[in-house]
mmCIF file of all heavy atoms in Angstrom:
data_model
loop_
_atom_site.group_PDB
_atom_site.id
_atom_site.type_symbol
_atom_site.label_atom_id
_atom_site.label_comp_id
_atom_site.label_asym_id
_atom_site.label_seq_id
_atom_site.Cartn_x
_atom_site.Cartn_y
_atom_site.Cartn_z
ATOM 1 N N GLY R 199 -10.523 13.086 15.920
ATOM 2 C CA GLY R 199 -9.840 11.975 16.572
ATOM 3 C C GLY R 199 -8.486 12.330 17.139
ATOM 4 O O GLY R 199 -7.810 11.469 17.722
ATOM 5 N N ASN R 200 -8.067 13.579 16.992
ATOM 6 C CA ASN R 200 -6.776 14.019 17.523
ATOM 7 C C ASN R 200 -6.920 14.326 19.004
ATOM 8 O O ASN R 200 -7.589 15.293 19.377
ATOM 9 C CB ASN R 200 -6.292 15.258 16.759
ATOM 10 C CG ASN R 200 -4.867 15.636 17.090
ATOM 11 O OD1 ASN R 200 -4.424 15.530 18.226
ATOM 12 N ND2 ASN R 200 -4.140 16.111 16.097
ATOM 13 N N PRO R 201 -6.280 13.556 19.881
ATOM 14 C CA PRO R 201 -6.544 13.673 21.322
ATOM 15 C C PRO R 201 -5.963 14.914 21.989
ATOM 16 O O PRO R 201 -6.373 15.249 23.105
ATOM 17 C CB PRO R 201 -5.896 12.403 21.890
ATOM 18 C CG PRO R 201 -4.797 12.071 20.932
ATOM 19 C CD PRO R 201 -5.331 12.466 19.580
ATOM 20 N N VAL R 202 -5.033 15.617 21.340
ATOM 21 C CA VAL R 202 -4.405 16.747 22.027
ATOM 22 C C VAL R 202 -4.998 18.098 21.632
ATOM 23 O O VAL R 202 -4.692 19.121 22.253
ATOM 24 C CB VAL R 202 -2.876 16.777 21.781
ATOM 25 C CG1 VAL R 202 -2.242 15.487 22.241
ATOM 26 C CG2 VAL R 202 -2.543 17.078 20.329
ATOM 27 N N LEU R 203 -5.845 18.126 20.606
ATOM 28 C CA LEU R 203 -6.373 19.397 20.138
ATOM 29 C C LEU R 203 -7.443 19.945 21.070
ATOM 30 O O LEU R 203 -8.363 19.232 21.481
ATOM 31 C CB LEU R 203 -6.954 19.251 18.730
ATOM 32 C CG LEU R 203 -5.989 18.876 17.599
ATOM 33 C CD1 LEU R 203 -6.733 18.832 16.270
ATOM 34 C CD2 LEU R 203 -4.822 19.856 17.527
ATOM 35 N N ASP R 204 -7.340 21.222 21.379
ATOM 36 C CA ASP R 204 -8.384 21.916 22.143
ATOM 37 C C ASP R 204 -9.467 22.473 21.223
ATOM 38 O O ASP R 204 -10.627 22.606 21.622
ATOM 39 C CB ASP R 204 -7.770 23.066 22.952
ATOM 40 C CG ASP R 204 -6.791 22.579 23.997
ATOM 41 O OD1 ASP R 204 -7.177 21.751 24.843
ATOM 42 O OD2 ASP R 204 -5.625 23.007 23.974
ATOM 43 N N ASP R 205 -9.070 22.818 20.015
ATOM 44 C CA ASP R 205 -10.025 23.307 19.026
ATOM 45 C C ASP R 205 -9.463 23.002 17.652
ATOM 46 O O ASP R 205 -8.249 22.853 17.469
ATOM 47 C CB ASP R 205 -10.279 24.810 19.185
ATOM 48 C CG ASP R 205 -9.009 25.637 19.093
ATOM 49 O OD1 ASP R 205 -8.598 25.993 17.969
ATOM 50 O OD2 ASP R 205 -8.396 25.928 20.140
ATOM 51 N N TRP R 206 -10.355 22.878 16.696
ATOM 52 C CA TRP R 206 -9.911 22.585 15.337
ATOM 53 C C TRP R 206 -10.893 23.125 14.314
ATOM 54 O O TRP R 206 -12.052 23.393 14.633
ATOM 55 C CB TRP R 206 -9.696 21.082 15.121
ATOM 56 C CG TRP R 206 -10.856 20.188 15.507
ATOM 57 C CD1 TRP R 206 -11.061 19.586 16.712
ATOM 58 C CD2 TRP R 206 -11.965 19.812 14.683
ATOM 59 N NE1 TRP R 206 -12.225 18.849 16.700
ATOM 60 C CE2 TRP R 206 -12.792 18.963 15.457
ATOM 61 C CE3 TRP R 206 -12.324 20.086 13.369
ATOM 62 C CZ2 TRP R 206 -13.967 18.405 14.968
ATOM 63 C CZ3 TRP R 206 -13.502 19.534 12.867
ATOM 64 C CH2 TRP R 206 -14.303 18.696 13.667
ATOM 65 N N VAL R 207 -10.384 23.318 13.099
ATOM 66 C CA VAL R 207 -11.206 23.830 12.026
ATOM 67 C C VAL R 207 -10.793 23.145 10.727
ATOM 68 O O VAL R 207 -9.618 22.863 10.513
ATOM 69 C CB VAL R 207 -11.066 25.364 11.900
ATOM 70 C CG1 VAL R 207 -9.622 25.759 11.605
ATOM 71 C CG2 VAL R 207 -11.991 25.928 10.819
ATOM 72 N N VAL R 208 -11.782 22.867 9.884
ATOM 73 C CA VAL R 208 -11.527 22.309 8.561
ATOM 74 C C VAL R 208 -11.432 23.467 7.578
ATOM 75 O O VAL R 208 -12.347 24.282 7.468
ATOM 76 C CB VAL R 208 -12.643 21.340 8.133
ATOM 77 C CG1 VAL R 208 -12.438 20.895 6.685
ATOM 78 C CG2 VAL R 208 -12.686 20.138 9.066
ATOM 79 N N LYS R 209 -10.306 23.525 6.870
ATOM 80 C CA LYS R 209 -10.137 24.594 5.892
ATOM 81 C C LYS R 209 -9.114 24.187 4.848
ATOM 82 O O LYS R 209 -8.081 23.600 5.169
ATOM 83 C CB LYS R 209 -9.688 25.891 6.567
ATOM 84 C CG LYS R 209 -9.524 27.032 5.575
ATOM 85 C CD LYS R 209 -9.472 28.386 6.207
ATOM 86 C CE LYS R 209 -9.459 29.467 5.119
ATOM 87 N NZ LYS R 209 -9.503 30.813 5.674
ATOM 88 N N ASP R 210 -9.396 24.529 3.594
ATOM 89 C CA ASP R 210 -8.500 24.251 2.472
ATOM 90 C C ASP R 210 -7.652 25.501 2.228
ATOM 91 O O ASP R 210 -8.119 26.485 1.656
ATOM 92 C CB ASP R 210 -9.310 23.896 1.228
ATOM 93 C CG ASP R 210 -8.437 23.496 0.041
ATOM 94 O OD1 ASP R 210 -7.194 23.634 0.142
ATOM 95 O OD2 ASP R 210 -8.992 23.058 -0.980
ATOM 96 N N LEU R 211 -6.394 25.457 2.651
ATOM 97 C CA LEU R 211 -5.508 26.611 2.498
ATOM 98 C C LEU R 211 -5.110 26.859 1.055
ATOM 99 O O LEU R 211 -4.630 27.946 0.729
ATOM 100 C CB LEU R 211 -4.262 26.424 3.366
ATOM 101 C CG LEU R 211 -4.507 26.419 4.874
ATOM 102 C CD1 LEU R 211 -3.205 26.148 5.616
ATOM 103 C CD2 LEU R 211 -5.124 27.737 5.331
ATOM 104 N N ASN R 212 -5.297 25.876 0.201
ATOM 105 C CA ASN R 212 -5.022 26.093 -1.216
ATOM 106 C C ASN R 212 -6.136 26.879 -1.903
ATOM 107 O O ASN R 212 -5.932 27.465 -2.964
ATOM 108 C CB ASN R 212 -4.812 24.759 -1.930
ATOM 109 C CG ASN R 212 -3.488 24.116 -1.566
ATOM 110 O OD1 ASN R 212 -2.565 24.792 -1.142
ATOM 111 N ND2 ASN R 212 -3.396 22.801 -1.722
ATOM 112 N N GLU R 213 -7.299 26.896 -1.284
ATOM 113 C CA GLU R 213 -8.394 27.728 -1.769
ATOM 114 C C GLU R 213 -8.322 29.117 -1.169
ATOM 115 O O GLU R 213 -8.529 30.124 -1.849
ATOM 116 C CB GLU R 213 -9.748 27.075 -1.436
ATOM 117 C CG GLU R 213 -10.063 25.836 -2.245
ATOM 118 C CD GLU R 213 -10.317 26.141 -3.708
ATOM 119 O OE1 GLU R 213 -10.821 27.242 -4.010
ATOM 120 O OE2 GLU R 213 -9.997 25.289 -4.560
ATOM 121 N N ASP R 214 -8.046 29.180 0.129
ATOM 122 C CA ASP R 214 -7.991 30.459 0.847
ATOM 123 C C ASP R 214 -6.925 30.363 1.938
ATOM 124 O O ASP R 214 -7.113 29.682 2.936
ATOM 125 C CB ASP R 214 -9.354 30.774 1.464
ATOM 126 C CG ASP R 214 -9.331 32.058 2.291
ATOM 127 O OD1 ASP R 214 -8.366 32.842 2.152
ATOM 128 O OD2 ASP R 214 -10.271 32.271 3.086
ATOM 129 N N PRO R 215 -5.782 31.030 1.754
ATOM 130 C CA PRO R 215 -4.693 30.915 2.720
ATOM 131 C C PRO R 215 -4.885 31.723 4.004
ATOM 132 O O PRO R 215 -4.039 31.666 4.899
ATOM 133 C CB PRO R 215 -3.481 31.426 1.938
ATOM 134 C CG PRO R 215 -4.052 32.373 0.948
ATOM 135 C CD PRO R 215 -5.397 31.815 0.569
ATOM 136 N N LYS R 216 -5.973 32.441 4.113
ATOM 137 C CA LYS R 216 -6.234 33.244 5.307
ATOM 138 C C LYS R 216 -6.506 32.330 6.504
ATOM 139 O O LYS R 216 -7.365 31.450 6.454
ATOM 140 C CB LYS R 216 -7.446 34.146 5.074
ATOM 141 C CG LYS R 216 -7.855 34.990 6.279
ATOM 142 C CD LYS R 216 -6.963 36.190 6.448
ATOM 143 C CE LYS R 216 -7.497 37.135 7.543
ATOM 144 N NZ LYS R 216 -6.602 38.307 7.750
ATOM 145 N N LEU R 217 -5.771 32.532 7.590
ATOM 146 C CA LEU R 217 -5.957 31.703 8.782
ATOM 147 C C LEU R 217 -7.030 32.310 9.687
ATOM 148 O O LEU R 217 -7.053 33.533 9.900
ATOM 149 C CB LEU R 217 -4.640 31.582 9.558
ATOM 150 C CG LEU R 217 -3.486 30.886 8.828
ATOM 151 C CD1 LEU R 217 -2.246 30.835 9.706
ATOM 152 C CD2 LEU R 217 -3.885 29.482 8.398
ATOM 153 N N PRO R 218 -7.919 31.481 10.229
ATOM 154 C CA PRO R 218 -9.048 31.979 11.023
ATOM 155 C C PRO R 218 -8.685 32.228 12.485
ATOM 156 O O PRO R 218 -9.386 31.777 13.401
ATOM 157 C CB PRO R 218 -10.065 30.832 10.891
ATOM 158 C CG PRO R 218 -9.218 29.606 10.811
ATOM 159 C CD PRO R 218 -7.996 30.023 10.019
ATOM 160 N N TYR R 219 -7.592 32.946 12.717
ATOM 161 C CA TYR R 219 -7.133 33.212 14.081
ATOM 162 C C TYR R 219 -6.745 34.684 14.207
ATOM 163 O O TYR R 219 -6.402 35.341 13.221
ATOM 164 C CB TYR R 219 -5.932 32.320 14.426
ATOM 165 C CG TYR R 219 -6.184 30.843 14.231
ATOM 166 C CD1 TYR R 219 -5.632 30.169 13.148
ATOM 167 C CD2 TYR R 219 -6.996 30.133 15.119
ATOM 168 C CE1 TYR R 219 -5.871 28.813 12.960
ATOM 169 C CE2 TYR R 219 -7.241 28.780 14.932
ATOM 170 C CZ TYR R 219 -6.676 28.126 13.841
ATOM 171 O OH TYR R 219 -6.926 26.787 13.651
#
Side-chain angles (χ1 to χ4, degrees):
N200 190 322
V202 302
L203 296 182
D204 296 304
D205 57 86
W206 52 268
V207 60
V208 174
K209 181 163 186 176
D210 184 352
L211 294 177
N212 288 337
E213 289 291 329
D214 177 15
K216 177 78 172 178
L217 297 180
Y219 305 105

